[in-house]
Amino acid sequence: MPDEGPWATLRDHLVERLPVPPARVDAMLAEGRIVDHDGPLGPTTPFVPRSVVWFHRDLPDEAPVPFDIDVVHRDDEIVVVDKPHFLATIPRGRHVRETVLVRLRDRLGLPALSPAHRLDRVTAGLLLLVVDPSRRGTYQNLFRDRRVAKAYEAVAPHDPDVDLPRVVRSRIVKERGVVTAQEVPGEPNAETLVELLDAREERARYLLTPRTGRTHQLRVHMASLGLPILGDPFYPEVRDVPLDDFRAPLQLLAGELSFPDPRTGEMRHFTSRRSLQAWDDPQGWRTGP
């Protein structure tokens, strides 16, 4: 609660503060869903400056994501999974139950499981999670200190005039509340090695090796080369794709993940078992499951 205010009751403050109708606040108080350290609070509970209350917000209606999470590795410290397209890493916005974290906590019986990094909802591939929250910082520091090697595969248009391999460097800025990232003038903060793996007429497979980890970096850099990744709803133009439309997923796969074990120093290497459908089955990619 704020340090001070004109509200006589907690209810009056929450009605002003929360982005829900007053009737919803009244219902949550009546159901005992708003609590403090001593238990449920009622509609006449006085407003107390600097006090703390909490509640679980109403869950959104979610379209079930019809794809499974493959567990690549599990031990007492980490879980490495092969994430499908369309499944967010953590609860956020309109995605709560249909996320990797919530699904795995329930499926594996690991209520404290937490991700060491994230993948975009529309990106598939390898994701590292930590079993013990006290060890999460140790693994996050591996990413922060650039001790984790990642390699991605992408399917995008083929342009023989684009000279490859090449290192793409630029300054990428992502503003809160804006869905896309932008390349802006200034000192580069993003670097990606782009290599051609194979080509078939108008389409090609690329190996993308990021040397930094900016939001949407690979997607921005490929679009800047005139080679936007197939299925990208943001680059080069934002497209409105319904959340229950599972056709034409973004053809970007986090294919390899390597890092030194924080306890032993031994290198650990994991490889995705997934492939990109627009290359193997273009018609199936377009029509969806």
Side-chain angles (χ1 to χ4, degrees):
M1 299 298 111
D3 291 340
E4 58 183 19
W7 311 281
T9 66
L10 171 69
R11 182 261 181 200
D12 292 341
H13 173 67
L14 294 181
V15 164
E16 183 173 319
R17 180 173 182 175
L18 300 181
V20 297
R24 189 71 204 113
V25 175
D26 292 333
M28 293 174 71
L29 286 165
E31 295 164 5
R33 292 179 56 189
I34 299 176
V35 303
D36 65 7
H37 290 287
D38 296 322
L41 303 171
T44 60
T45 298
F47 169 79
V48 178
R50 300 181 64 84
S51 62
V52 176
V53 304
W54 68 91
F55 57 90
H56 292 289
R57 66 180 174 88
D58 294 327
L59 294 177
D61 292 329
E62 296 182 69
V65 178
F67 308 108
D68 293 329
I69 305 168
D70 296 330
V71 175
V72 176
H73 173 84
R74 177 182 178 182
D75 58 35
D76 292 338
E77 187 143 310
I78 63 171
V79 176
V80 180
V81 300
D82 220 349
K83 184 184 90 65
H85 297 286
F86 300 111
L87 199 64
T89 299
I90 62 172
R92 183 178 181 184
R94 292 175 290 177
H95 306 281
V96 179
R97 293 187 185 93
E98 292 299 307
T99 60
V100 172
L101 187 59
V102 172
R103 277 196 188 182
L104 284 180
R105 282 179 170 179
D106 180 60
R107 171 180 158 188
L108 302 179
L110 297 173
L113 190 69
S114 58
H117 65 122
R118 300 182 191 179
L119 290 177
D120 293 340
R121 185 181 75 91
V122 289
T123 301
L126 297 173
L127 184 67
L128 171 65
L129 302 101
V130 184
V131 174
D132 182 354
S134 68
R135 296 284 290 162
R136 184 185 183 193
T138 300
Y139 285 91
Q140 287 180 320
N141 288 343
L142 293 176
F143 289 88
R144 181 199 66 189
D145 298 337
R146 300 184 184 178
R147 301 180 68 196
V148 178
K150 296 179 286 184
Y152 291 73
E153 183 180 329
V155 178
H158 178 229
D159 183 349
D161 293 332
V162 176
D163 187 24
L164 296 176
R166 73 162 64 179
V167 175
V168 182
R169 297 182 182 90
S170 68
R171 184 166 189 82
I172 295 177
V173 174
K174 173 72 165 61
E175 296 182 6
R176 181 180 292 273
V178 180
V179 297
T180 57
Q182 306 294 326
E183 288 185 300
V184 299
E187 171 118 11
N189 62 3
E191 182 176 313
T192 306
L193 172 63
V194 180
E195 300 174 87
L196 178 66
L197 293 176
D198 197 0
R200 293 179 189 160
E201 299 178 352
E202 79 285 356
R203 222 170 254 188
R205 288 173 57 235
Y206 298 89
L207 177 64
L208 310 180
T209 307
R211 294 171 178 168
T212 54
R214 311 305 298 185
T215 299
H216 296 176
Q217 174 178 320
L218 303 180
R219 298 160 67 179
V220 170
H221 278 169
M222 288 296 285
S224 73
L225 293 176
L227 306 172
I229 299 173
L230 295 187
D232 197 330
F234 287 174
Y235 306 97
E237 296 180 353
V238 175
R239 294 183 290 112
D240 185 17
V241 180
L243 294 179
D244 60 353
D245 185 348
F246 302 114
R247 296 171 297 175
L250 176 72
Q251 293 301 277
L252 181 62
L253 173 69
E256 296 187 37
L257 187 68
S258 302
F259 55 89
D261 186 286
R263 294 190 188 276
T264 67
E266 178 185 359
M267 286 300 298
R268 311 191 74 173
H269 180 81
F270 301 97
T271 303
S272 172
R273 304 184 184 113
R274 298 183 184 274
S275 60
L276 292 173
Q277 194 177 17
W279 187 257
D280 299 331
D281 178 19
Q283 185 59 37
W285 170 70
R286 292 189 188 91
T287 57

